Amino acid sequence: GIQVEQSPPDLILQEGANSTLRCNFSDSVNNLQWFHQNPWGQLINLFYIPSGTKQNGRLSATTVATERYSLLYISSSQTTDSGVYFCAVEGSIGTYKYIFGTGTRLKVLA
Amino acid sequence: DAGVTQSPTHLIKTRGQHVTLRCSPISGHKSVSWYQQVLGQGPQFIFQYYEKEERGRGNFPDRFSARQFPNYSSELNVNALLLGDSALYLCASSLSYREAFFGQGTRLTVV
């Protein structure tokens, strides 16, 4: 099955810093999402981005499907950005399931 | 608009018992999926239902079962609970096999 790797596994930033999170996947994908998991466990949708580039405020994401990676950019980080960021991919049409990476644990210091 | 709602939010069960977890999808969403997340790992796919039919099953034992009702809500059942079943169980709904939206999860502790 598809393998999903995220890097770095852990990241500590000072408030105001920028960061880039990476997601590599081993095969072509039909869908790709980025999530932020808050301390209570809820997965918050950040981007649905099987290809191309999207921006939402201080966050943006780029997926290069032909090269099998996606990037999540966080600019001017805030303490509320702390948590775990997951990339999830769905394989070819008909697999009906998302495969999650192991996540990047981000801590933003005041 | 209500998002995906799951109940209960927390649950403590004894080894060998049975548990039922419930999920109501976003209004209009006909697809519901279940995921298990153990501490320190990403969620793992358990089941996916669409229009009351099972469309996908992950690598979980037969102790795990699920169903979807005519109103598109869903139940996940786990029999003969093991300590290793302790996890956060997440339900997701989607409109058409695309973007998935997750509930707040049910945290199950087996003692």
Side-chain angles (χ1 to χ4, degrees):
Chain A
I2 294 176
Q3 305 297 314
V4 182
E5 293 183 356
Q6 291 187 242
S7 59
D10 296 281
L11 190 56
I12 300 176
L13 301 173
Q14 283 296 136
E15 203 167 26
N18 302 328
S19 60
T20 300
L21 282 56
R22 187 177 180 100
C23 171
N24 291 332
F25 40 95
S26 60
D27 204 345
S28 59
V29 297
N30 191 42
N31 292 313
L32 188 148
Q33 288 187 242
W34 282 96
F35 297 93
H36 176 210
Q37 189 165 42
N38 66 22
W40 297 271
Q42 176 131 30
L43 287 168
I44 308 299
N45 288 44
L46 297 177
F47 294 102
Y48 170 75
I49 187 167
S51 63
T53 297
K54 290 186 177 180
Q55 180 155 8
N56 184 4
R58 296 182 295 104
L59 303 182
S60 63
T62 295
T63 297
V64 184
T66 53
E67 297 188 20
R68 300 180 184 170
Y69 73 88
S70 183
L71 302 174
L72 177 69
Y73 305 96
I74 304 174
S75 65
S76 305
S77 57
Q78 301 175 357
T79 55
T80 51
D81 294 332
S82 297
V84 183
Y85 289 80
F86 286 105
C87 165
V89 305
E90 185 182 17
S92 324
I93 295 174
T95 59
Y96 307 123
K97 67 180 182 182
Y98 271 97
I99 297 169
F100 283 74
T102 50
T104 291
R105 188 173 303 272
L106 173 65
K107 185 167 187 176
V108 181
L109 304 175
Chain B
D1 287 341
V4 179
T5 57
Q6 293 186 240
S7 63
T9 54
H10 294 83
L11 201 52
I12 299 175
K13 289 286 191 178
T14 303
R15 275 179 298 175
Q17 285 189 316
H18 163 90
V19 68
T20 297
L21 310 181
R22 294 178 174 84
C23 172
S24 293
I26 293 171
S27 178
H29 286 193
K30 299 180 180 180
S31 171
V32 169
S33 300
W34 287 95
Y35 290 79
Q36 181 197 64
Q37 186 179 20
V38 300
L39 200 61
Q41 298 183 19
Q44 287 206 306
F45 173 78
I46 310 176
F47 286 110
Q48 196 253 356
Y49 279 78
Y50 182 76
E51 286 279 18
K52 302 179 288 295
E53 290 188 9
E54 182 183 303
R55 296 298 182 94
R57 173 185 285 254
N59 188 23
F60 281 80
D62 291 343
R63 300 183 296 107
F64 288 76
S65 64
R67 55 180 175 168
Q68 187 177 33
F69 298 99
N71 67 353
Y72 303 111
S73 67
S74 178
E75 283 183 354
L76 175 69
N77 295 283
V78 187
N79 293 323
L81 285 166
L82 304 173
L83 295 179
D85 295 331
S86 295
L88 179 67
Y89 288 85
L90 295 161
C91 173
S93 79
S94 59
L95 191 55
S96 58
Y97 305 120
R98 291 166 59 93
E99 186 172 9
F101 296 87
F102 283 80
Q104 83 281 13
T106 294
R107 197 167 296 276
L108 172 65
T109 302
V110 182
V111 297

